[in-house]
Amino acid sequence: MEVQIVNGEGQIIWARNPVGGLTSSAYGKSGMLREIEQSLQRALEQCRGELTVSDYADGVSDVGRPSA
């Protein structure tokens, strides 16, 4: 699996896969690495939320059903 951060112009500015990664040393000085970190954090929070929902898939399917 590979994770990529793509800028608004469609260019990969950060990537990580099982073999290694891609970034520019200039990003540390420009503040871009902080923006990349924040994007990854938001993505991780979303993934965790989706995992929580999938853990309770049976409970979600009961929503809206009249009680017996």
Side-chain angles (χ1 to χ4, degrees), residues 18-39:
V19 177
L22 162 77
T23 191
S24 169
S25 59
Y27 292 160
K29 296 176 184 171
S30 71
M32 179 63 70
L33 281 176
R34 287 281 175 219
E35 291 181 46
I36 291 169
E37 178 187 36
Q38 291 168 358
S39 293

Side-chain angles (χ1 to χ4, degrees), residues 4-14:
Q4 297 180 350
I5 302 290
V6 179
N7 67 12
E9 299 167 4
Q11 299 167 325
I12 298 171
I13 59 172
W14 186 94

Side-chain angles (χ1 to χ4, degrees), residues 41-62:
Q41 184 64 39
R42 287 190 299 272
L44 182 57
E45 289 169 4
Q46 178 179 343
C47 182
R48 286 180 176 154
E50 291 174 11
L51 282 170
T52 300
V53 171
S54 70
D55 288 343
Y56 299 104
D58 292 336
V60 172
S61 64
D62 291 339

